[in-house]
Amino acid sequence: MIINLHRKDNFSHTVPKKRRMLSSTIERKTLGFFFLPAGLFMVAFLLFPLLKLVYDSFFAVGDNYEGRTFIGFANYIKAFTSQQFQSGSLHTLVYVVVAVGLETVLGLVLAVILTNKYRGFKAIRTFLLSPLMIAPLVAGLVWKFMLSSQFGIVNVLLVKVGIIQSTDSILWLADSRFSLLACIIADVWLTTPFMMLMFLAGIQSIPESLYESAAVEGANKWQIITKIILPSIKGVLFSTLVIRVIDAARTFDIIWAMTQGGPQGSSELLSVQIYKMLQRYGDVGYASAMAVIFIIVLIGLTLFAQHKQNRD
Amino acid sequence: MQICGSVREKSFTKLHIVVSLKNICSPFKLCIEQTLKSQHTTQYASFLVTEKGSKMKHKMQTLISVVVTAAAVLSLAACGSSSAESKTLSILVEGGGPAEKVARSNAAEFEKETGYKINIDTSPYSGLYDKLKAETDSSKATHDLAVIDVLWFPALAKGLSSVDGVLSSSEESDLMPQLKEGGTIDGKLLGIPTWTNAKILLYRKDLFENEANKTAFKEQYGYDLKVPTTWAEYRDTAKFFTKDDMYGTAIIGQTGADSVTGWLEFATQAGANNLVLGKGNKPNLGDKAYSQALDYMRDLVKDGSIPADYLSLGTSEISNMFNQGKIAMQLTWAHFYLSSAEELGDKVGAAPMIAGSAGVGAIPGPWYEVVMKNSKKQDIAKKYLEFMYGKNEGYMETLGVAARKSVFAKYEDNAKYAHVKALETTLAAKQTQNRPATKMWTEIETEILSPLVQNSLKGANTKDELSKAQQSIEDLLG
Amino acid sequence: MFHERFGRNKSDNFWMIAMYVLAGIFLLAFVFPYLYMLFSSFKPSNEVISVNPTFFPERWSLENYRSVFQTSDIGTNFANSFIAALVSTIICLLLGSLASYAISRTAVSRFSNFLLVLVLCLKMIPMSSIVVPIYGLVQQFGFYDYLPVLCIVYAGVNMPFVLWMMISFFKEVPVELDEAAAVDGAGPLKSFIRVILPVVTPSLISTGIFTFLLAWNDFLVALLLTSSDAKTVPVALSEFLTSYNLDLGPMTGAAVLFSFPVIIISFFLQRYLVSGMLAGSVKG
């Protein structure tokens, strides 16, 4: 991504094997030392809470219990059999698939458009970054009021354009069919610019020579996009996708500001459920079990994706 | 910053690299210098110029020691900052709310009286509970005092000190009804009330006094137009005013506690007692008062007397619509009267909560000032409670509600505070009662009852929904 | 390739017009909410949430900005947000690049893979499930509402993001560079600092910007860890919305102000954000 190299096999080198070398220049101890400082930071604020989560998930612990009782996998069984956890998982899945899908497609389209070096496109790129400047919480609030059918400008505009009959035609936040979509819209607005940036970076690392040879062969624009650009940014696409999927699954601020999971539980993601269970209702054991399941599923997905990526 | 590790091939096996020190990126350098305390700079310099991997270990140690030192320096500074707090009381209140204003305006006086400085921490509503909850669960006090919602008592009880005896019996008898009971858990009073509140009826006086409306109403409904006092009148009036881009009233359907309170108020009016959790902590949703309340709300929906997006409207939104002339009547927390009067002037009137078959009924929404159990300054904190109880009028001035009968009495004939009388009447009503004080209440309310209300309003079978909720609550309580 | 002028041939013209139209549509859609917020902040506060919403203010007023400065300690909050975001970003980049360099160079070994998976695990944790334990930890040590600790916590929770990004960047750097440095007698640390870092600086900066934004825009952590001295802007923003009123005016004003520093930063670092990521620093 950073360097457009000529093909790697220009160099043929043999490095003498040293003891406990993990690569040509780094030995095991060095890796440990290099990782340690960053690791220390993560231990306190991530690893410790994570271990606590795992530990707590095997106990009946929290406000409603006296002390802590070891109950094995009971919390996990409770989660898997709970109607709420299932619908929360489904909502999370829908949210991730739809939001990340839209963001990827829009981000790609935008990146391809802005690759053109026409007059004014640099400025457009700058303006497109404006959602990045807004905190998710604020974005959630602003969208909440823009999509409201009483105070919202979105429905007013849709009526003006003639897409809907009256401002009550689509109750974005009050209709359980649309509430999740409303949150997705806000999420897409908020993070498409990030995707666009990553893809732009990827596209710009494509060596000019590829385009030149394509031009010689008389390829048209569409062929250039599909045959050169898309294959070249596969790596960037993949790592960006993984990051986004994880982040979208963990979304909290937007939902909390817009719908608090309602109406009728229609926009309740697992992150919201976990927060409520842990914070509001004090069932620490059960909330921890939910969080652990959530983390395991995400890791499984990521490793699976990486495995496929490495195979290709 | 331009990079220039220019690599030139000398031969196939050896590359020669030219890198000048200048090119080490400056933010990196900058922060190294920041992290390093002066005694380390020499080592830093050495670790840039040392040679060969043999000194590797030494360099790594240096690097780690730098990080550790930085952390240590930070923590030392922290210890330094947290030790000078002997003569301060720290209090946590909701940011932007009346508790903050009243605490600020009286802090100087308290300091003059006692020598104790009041340090006011603010947090948004949700953060307030989260922090106090975490403080309760740990054994260390960050705050000495807090102002809390009555709903949080059960969950926070084990972290609060008893405040029995802070108020004299004459001061205690000056409390508005239900306040003492609401702050008492297991026979101990855990907080001194700051204000009480309940929903009352705010209406557009000008519309009710309009002659054309009077004639038309009489024609349609066969009786005189007046401020409604019963379910039937309220429904008729709401229907009547729903015209010309205006709704007669609104229902709070927003996900969360607000919608449940709205429904339970109607239930008290229909005769429900021991709300939701009856005798022996058994849910009593089979009581017909609950289904009557739901049916009544559904009638309002069916009449079209309320905005279509009621499932996303909370009290603030509805109040806002009322102030902008979109709604003719609203059942809302008494304190909204002040902001409505500011917007609408004398067009707004206040009346007590409406009555169902069992009379007027409402649910108080009081707040309390509490002392944290882990606080090392119990005595002075309690002194502060007593001091603030004397300043109760401040809440009336900023919010329009208070906790003391004497404060209410002082304001009840004040034209600017037209809601005070209505609130007194509502609070004194026989059916007015607190929500059940149980740790599980928040969960019952948010996870079971709020969806119940929303589903019922959306047309689900109320009987089925109620029995499903009954079952869920029983399961939850084990 | 993508820089033809208008009028070379028909298909190019068509392409160019299509690009402009599309770019215009996207621009409108994406800038709209921000502009709506911007214009709302200049409305009188009782018109911000109106039942007849308009895009432009009917009367321009600075009322919201005035009340932001009168009712809150917004200056301090700004400074806190900025320091917390900046310091945590610097720590993240400094330590994160070191760690990710080492991992990227040893990708084949089991130990390195273990670390990678560990970082992944930490990246997956939903913030909503760990802010309370973090608060408990911080509160136990008496560091509540203390800015340096906020910096450290942000550095900790954003570290996995930095590692994830940086590992993929470092993988792009040819290992021949390290090897050449080793041949010249530099140890791993020296060759990292002198050879590798300069090469990845642009991507370091772009990662830095995103890391900065993560801390800058965070709400949950700051909500629990701060209350007055170290309060950040997002928490202060949420305090404009109390249960006593619905006054979005001051909040829009503060949010607009809050976005300015980031706009300025990203304006100046634009080239790093995109083209800078890819400085063709190594010419073989």
Side-chain angles (χ1 to χ4, degrees):
Chain A
M1 231 169 111
I2 301 149
I3 299 165
N4 56 60
L5 271 183
H6 282 316
R7 304 219 317 283
K8 275 203 174 170
D9 48 21
N10 273 359
F11 306 101
S12 55
H13 51 262
T14 45
V15 181
K17 269 260 183 289
K18 281 189 201 158
R19 216 158 35 89
R20 282 175 302 132
M21 286 302 263
L22 300 179
S23 76
S24 56
T25 53
I26 292 194
E27 45 183 314
R28 176 183 281 268
K29 206 166 57 178
T30 317
L31 171 62
F33 276 131
F34 274 31
F35 187 80
L36 193 65
L40 279 178
F41 272 85
M42 291 190 290
V43 163
F45 303 116
L46 291 171
L47 192 61
F48 161 73
L50 178 67
L51 295 176
K52 189 175 176 301
L53 275 182
V54 176
Y55 179 72
D56 282 343
S57 68
F58 293 104
F59 289 86
V61 53
D63 278 0
N64 320 318
Y65 310 101
E66 296 300 323
R68 51 168 67 229
T69 341
F70 180 80
I71 52 170
F73 282 97
N75 282 325
Y76 290 90
I77 293 162
K78 184 176 165 187
F80 281 120
T81 52
S82 132
Q83 181 67 47
Q84 226 183 345
F85 183 78
Q86 285 163 14
S87 67
S89 311
L90 183 69
H91 294 153
T92 310
L93 185 70
V94 170
Y95 187 89
V96 169
V97 169
V98 178
V100 178
L102 279 172
E103 282 153 21
T104 310
V105 171
L106 291 177
L108 266 176
V109 171
L110 273 170
V112 169
I113 291 173
L114 294 178
T115 308
N116 294 284
K117 294 195 170 55
Y118 297 135
R119 187 187 296 264
F121 273 31
K122 251 206 156 83
I124 290 178
R125 193 170 73 196
T126 313
F127 284 121
L128 278 173
L129 296 182
S130 65
L132 283 176
M133 323 299 168
I134 308 289
L137 176 88
V138 177
L141 285 167
V142 169
W143 276 97
K144 177 182 171 179
F145 284 104
M146 289 200 343
L147 290 172
S148 147
S149 23
Q150 296 301 335
F151 313 107
I153 193 155
V154 170
N155 278 6
V156 170
L157 290 176
L158 289 178
V159 170
K160 274 193 179 140
V161 179
I163 294 176
I164 55 176
Q165 287 278 305
S166 82
T167 49
D168 286 343
S169 304
I170 303 182
L171 307 174
W172 293 104
L173 303 168
D175 187 329
S176 49
R177 291 171 304 172
F178 293 118
S179 60
L180 194 59
L181 181 65
C183 298
I184 288 175
I185 290 174
D187 193 282
V188 167
W189 175 75
L190 198 62
T191 44
T192 301
F194 167 77
M195 303 289 258
M196 174 190 87
L197 272 181
M198 298 303 268
F199 297 153
L200 261 179
I203 291 178
Q204 303 205 339
S205 66
I206 300 171
E208 202 70 17
S209 54
L210 278 180
Y211 294 134
E212 282 156 13
S213 57
V216 169
E217 285 172 31
N220 64 22
K221 297 265 200 267
W222 185 245
Q223 284 167 325
I224 288 173
I225 291 171
T226 51
K227 295 277 188 323
I228 296 177
I229 293 182
L230 288 182
S232 307
I233 61 167
K234 248 197 180 140
V236 183
L237 189 75
F238 172 77
S239 55
T240 314
L241 261 182
V242 171
I243 285 191
R244 260 319 290 162
V245 165
I246 295 169
D247 279 347
R250 293 159 64 217
T251 302
F252 176 81
D253 290 3
I254 289 183
I255 308 274
W256 199 244
M258 283 177 83
T259 63
Q260 300 230 333
Q264 294 154 282
S266 58
S267 59
E268 201 165 74
L269 301 194
L270 284 180
S271 61
V272 174
Q273 263 182 25
I274 292 169
Y275 179 79
K276 286 202 290 194
M277 200 44 84
L278 191 73
Q279 265 312 90
R280 295 275 178 279
Y281 320 143
D283 195 340
V284 179
Y286 180 48
S288 302
M290 288 203 287
V292 170
I293 295 171
F294 177 82
I295 293 167
I296 289 174
V297 169
L298 276 185
I299 292 169
L301 273 176
T302 315
L303 291 180
F304 173 74
Q306 271 201 295
H307 179 72
K308 274 197 79 82
Q309 167 82 358
N310 292 343
R311 267 227 324 258
D312 290 347
Chain B
M1 273 168 292
Q2 259 317 313
I3 315 293
C4 36
S6 66
V7 180
R8 278 172 293 161
E9 277 180 62
K10 280 202 161 179
S11 69
F12 248 125
T13 48
K14 191 176 170 191
L15 292 159
H16 184 68
I17 300 190
V18 187
V19 181
S20 75
L21 243 179
K22 258 186 291 185
N23 293 321
I24 293 176
C25 81
S26 51
F28 179 79
K29 218 158 87 182
L30 182 91
C31 62
I32 279 276
E33 280 159 13
Q34 272 189 351
T35 344
L36 280 157
K37 292 280 145 237
S38 52
Q39 74 266 25
H40 277 284
T41 20
T42 47
Q43 279 169 330
Y44 172 52
S46 79
F47 101 13
L48 277 181
V49 295
T50 40
E51 309 188 343
K52 301 280 177 199
S54 62
K55 297 213 175 156
M56 177 72 217
K57 200 163 149 187
H58 166 70
K59 280 182 286 181
M60 287 314 303
Q61 283 165 342
T62 315
L63 189 72
I64 289 163
S65 69
V66 165
V67 174
V68 172
T69 319
V73 167
L74 281 180
S75 45
L76 278 175
C79 295
S81 76
S82 57
S83 62
E85 286 172 7
S86 47
K87 289 278 267 185
T88 54
L89 273 180
S90 125
I91 171 167
L92 184 66
V93 293
E94 184 186 0
E100 185 194 355
K101 289 195 186 81
V102 176
R104 284 202 195 287
S105 57
N106 291 305
E109 189 181 332
F110 186 75
E111 192 178 356
K112 221 162 60 200
E113 271 183 31
T114 60
Y116 272 82
K117 208 172 149 346
I118 301 292
N119 174 27
I120 299 160
D121 278 350
T122 60
S123 179
Y125 183 85
S126 61
L128 201 59
Y129 172 78
D130 292 351
K131 283 179 190 175
L132 292 171
K133 179 84 183 61
E135 271 178 59
T136 297
D137 294 343
S138 81
S139 53
K140 196 170 171 358
T142 305
H143 299 99
D144 304 302
L145 295 134
V147 176
I148 67 164
D149 190 332
V150 66
L151 289 176
W152 304 339
F153 268 120
L156 301 178
K158 67 173 198 280
L160 305 177
S161 301
S162 156
V163 294
D164 284 310
V166 167
L167 301 182
S168 65
S169 58
S170 68
E171 281 175 324
E172 221 168 72
S173 60
D174 195 24
L175 281 173
M176 292 292 285
Q178 298 106 3
L179 279 177
K180 191 158 184 233
E181 173 220 1
T184 305
I185 303 273
D186 300 332
K188 284 206 280 288
L189 183 65
L190 294 181
I192 302 296
T194 51
W195 67 81
T196 182
N197 202 346
K199 292 218 185 82
I200 58 170
L201 174 66
L202 295 187
Y203 59 93
R204 286 285 300 276
K205 226 175 4 197
D206 56 329
L207 298 177
F208 277 90
E209 287 163 359
N210 175 308
E211 288 306 324
N213 280 343
K214 282 183 177 173
T215 326
F217 186 87
K218 177 101 188 192
E219 220 165 83
Q220 281 174 42
Y221 297 93
Y223 59 96
D224 285 331
L225 175 64
K226 63 178 181 62
V227 178
T229 53
T230 66
W231 279 18
E233 288 169 1
Y234 185 73
R235 186 180 168 184
D236 287 346
T237 324
K239 206 164 161 177
F240 173 75
F241 280 119
T242 304
K243 57 186 181 189
D244 324 328
D245 208 26
M246 186 181 228
Y247 298 101
T249 183
I251 282 182
I252 304 154
Q254 198 177 49
T255 311
D258 262 4
S259 56
V260 178
T261 312
W263 161 58
L264 290 179
E265 273 156 350
F266 287 127
T268 61
Q269 293 154 24
N273 280 315
N274 301 323
L275 288 175
V276 182
L277 298 180
K279 299 270 180 295
N281 238 1
K282 271 199 71 67
N284 56 9
L285 293 179
D287 188 332
K288 66 179 187 336
Y290 297 111
S291 58
Q292 279 170 356
L294 284 175
D295 291 339
Y296 181 63
M297 291 163 87
R298 280 169 66 150
D299 289 341
L300 293 174
V301 175
K302 266 194 246 134
D303 291 347
S305 316
I306 62 165
D309 58 337
Y310 55 91
L311 284 194
S312 61
L313 298 179
T315 36
S316 307
E317 283 90 353
I318 292 170
S319 209
N320 206 297
M321 289 171 71
F322 178 81
N323 293 352
Q324 296 188 38
K326 287 283 281 192
I327 293 179
M329 306 183 288
Q330 56 167 344
L331 297 171
T332 189
W333 295 105
H335 69 261
F336 278 112
Y337 173 80
L338 290 186
S339 59
S340 294
E342 210 172 296
E343 294 280 328
L344 298 162
D346 56 3
K347 289 183 190 161
V348 55
M353 181 50 126
I354 57 174
S357 55
V360 173
I363 291 172
W367 282 61
Y368 294 79
E369 193 141 24
V370 297
V371 178
M372 304 305 288
K373 211 177 213 147
N374 296 328
S375 162
K376 303 253 186 308
K377 302 166 189 154
Q378 298 285 327
D379 294 344
I380 189 75
K382 283 175 183 167
K383 192 169 261 165
Y384 178 75
L385 287 187
E386 201 187 356
F387 167 84
M388 286 306 282
Y389 191 63
K391 301 285 174 205
N392 198 254
E393 200 178 322
Y395 298 115
M396 182 59 89
E397 283 163 6
T398 50
L399 184 67
V401 290
R404 301 182 68 156
K405 286 177 185 161
S406 52
V407 175
F408 270 89
K410 187 175 166 185
Y411 281 79
E412 66 182 3
D413 295 316
N414 185 332
K416 278 207 180 98
Y417 291 81
H419 63 291
V420 170
K421 249 206 168 82
L423 180 57
E424 279 178 314
T425 313
T426 306
L427 285 169
K430 188 172 60 68
Q431 279 300 82
T432 297
Q433 52 196 296
N434 282 314
R435 285 156 286 191
T438 159
K439 268 184 203 168
M440 307 298 277
W441 180 250
T442 320
E443 184 169 1
I444 291 172
E445 194 175 47
T446 324
E447 298 303 322
I448 300 170
L449 301 180
S450 183
L452 155 90
V453 174
Q454 291 185 333
N455 293 340
S456 303
L457 292 180
K458 274 288 171 205
N461 182 320
T462 47
K463 292 271 183 301
D464 293 353
E465 287 293 326
L466 281 166
S467 59
K468 211 162 68 186
Q470 172 89 6
Q471 190 55 52
S472 309
I473 296 174
E474 278 172 15
D475 294 346
L476 193 63
L477 296 175
Chain C
M1 139 82 201
F2 283 112
H3 21 79
E4 295 88 350
R5 292 257 152 64
F6 193 74
R8 280 208 355 204
N9 63 49
K10 250 206 170 104
S11 76
D12 280 354
N13 287 354
F14 173 75
W15 175 260
M16 185 167 162
I17 291 164
M19 287 297 108
Y20 265 109
V21 170
L22 277 174
I25 292 170
F26 275 113
L27 182 68
L28 275 181
F30 275 86
V31 172
F32 180 83
Y34 184 83
L35 288 183
Y36 184 65
M37 192 176 85
L38 181 68
F39 287 127
S40 289
S41 69
F42 289 109
K43 292 174 184 170
S45 72
N46 57 359
E47 279 176 33
V48 173
I49 296 185
S50 158
V51 289
N52 305 310
T54 55
F55 187 65
F56 295 107
E58 307 204 341
R59 286 191 300 125
W60 291 76
S61 110
L62 289 173
E63 189 187 325
N64 294 326
Y65 291 95
R66 266 200 298 278
S67 64
V68 165
F69 286 106
Q70 276 162 7
T71 57
S72 66
D73 202 356
I74 203 83
T76 314
N77 302 335
F78 256 95
N80 288 338
S81 273
F82 196 77
I83 292 168
L86 189 70
V87 173
S88 68
T89 303
I90 289 171
I91 296 175
C92 270
L93 290 183
L94 185 70
L95 304 181
S97 60
L98 197 61
S100 35
Y101 164 71
I103 291 180
S104 73
R105 286 291 175 264
T106 55
V108 287
S109 79
R110 211 171 265 162
F111 180 40
S112 164
N113 265 321
F114 163 75
L115 291 179
L116 194 62
V117 172
L118 183 73
V119 170
L120 256 183
C121 291
L122 298 180
K123 175 96 186 68
M124 308 296 174
I125 306 173
M127 273 323 285
S128 54
S129 68
I130 60 163
V131 277
V132 182
I134 292 178
Y135 171 78
L137 196 73
V138 167
Q139 196 232 4
Q140 279 298 332
F141 288 102
F143 289 159
Y144 168 74
D145 199 24
Y146 181 58
L147 192 59
V149 167
L150 191 65
C151 302
I152 291 177
V153 173
Y154 279 152
V157 298
N158 292 335
M159 197 70 82
F161 170 79
V162 175
L163 291 176
W164 186 249
M165 297 282 282
M166 293 307 298
I167 287 172
S168 65
F169 288 139
F170 279 116
K171 276 187 178 160
E172 306 277 333
V173 179
V175 78
E176 287 78 10
L177 275 181
D178 316 37
E179 283 162 4
V183 171
D184 282 1
L189 189 65
K190 197 168 175 183
S191 62
F192 168 73
I193 291 177
R194 292 200 182 180
V195 181
I196 309 296
L197 264 188
V199 172
V200 298
T201 299
S203 32
L204 211 58
I205 291 176
S206 68
T207 310
I209 291 172
F210 288 122
T211 317
F212 183 90
L213 282 171
L214 280 178
W216 178 252
N217 286 334
D218 161 83
F219 170 68
L220 260 186
V221 175
L223 173 71
L224 283 183
L225 292 189
T226 68
S227 65
S228 54
D229 297 348
K231 187 182 285 174
T232 62
V233 177
V235 182
L237 283 179
S238 67
E239 283 188 13
F240 286 119
L241 301 160
T242 62
S243 35
Y244 310 99
N245 63 358
L246 184 66
D247 194 359
L248 215 61
M251 196 209 81
T252 52
V256 167
L257 292 176
F258 188 58
S259 65
F260 278 156
V262 194
I263 291 178
I264 292 162
I265 291 170
S266 58
F267 181 79
F268 280 108
L269 295 177
Q270 260 271 338
R271 64 196 189 91
Y272 285 108
L273 266 177
V274 189
S275 43
M277 277 181 176
L278 319 147
S281 53
V282 181
K283 297 270 189 289

